[in-house]
Amino acid sequence: MPPTNPQTAGHAFFKGMYEDGYYPDHVVDKGRQILLRLCERIEDERPADLAALYVLTHAATEEFNELEAEFDAAGSEIETVAREVIAEDFWFVASAYGFEDADAEELIATREW
């Protein structure tokens, strides 16, 4: 079920990556799906505090860790620009669900990229 939060439902996730030909759209699409699933989980589980939110964002970050191999296979990688775009969208999600005080680095603390 798609997110019902109007901010996340209408957000153009990974816009900077879609606009840059270095990142293959079919792999970026998979990253977008990871964040949409994160939104769904937040809506379903309604984390009560930052610790509970971080459990969800860490799980989504681990999915991105697995996606890195697909970027590599497509001749791309999760490098500096991609890391910034991904981190910004994770923070956008946290903020959209009322966690404006979330630490951007902690949201993706389990990253391997």
Side-chain angles (χ1 to χ4, degrees):
M1 183 167 129
T4 59
N5 179 306
Q7 287 179 283
T8 58
H11 185 68
F13 289 108
F14 306 127
K15 183 178 179 185
M17 292 173 72
Y18 280 115
E19 293 173 347
D20 187 333
Y22 178 69
Y23 306 104
D25 286 353
H26 72 281
V27 183
V28 178
D29 288 344
K30 290 180 180 185
R32 182 177 175 275
Q33 290 304 312
I34 291 169
L35 281 189
L36 290 173
R37 283 193 303 275
L38 172 61
C39 293
E40 292 169 14
R41 286 192 69 191
I42 292 170
E43 291 180 13
D44 289 344
E45 298 179 26
R46 301 191 185 276
D49 55 22
L50 282 174
L53 175 69
Y54 293 148
V55 169
L56 300 179
T57 63
H58 292 173
T61 300
E62 290 175 20
E63 288 186 66
F64 269 98
N65 290 343
E66 295 172 16
L67 194 59
E68 187 173 21
E70 292 190 46
F71 276 102
D72 289 340
S76 184
E77 65 181 307
I78 300 177
E79 41 69 71
T80 305
V81 171
R83 282 192 295 270
E84 292 298 318
V85 170
I86 294 166
E88 287 173 11
D89 275 342
F90 265 87
W91 190 87
F92 170 82
V93 168
S95 178
Y97 287 99
F99 294 97
E100 295 89 358
D101 55 342
D103 180 277
E105 286 298 315
E106 184 58 34
L107 290 169
I108 55 172
T110 57
R111 75 182 182 279
E112 296 174 357
W113 27 270

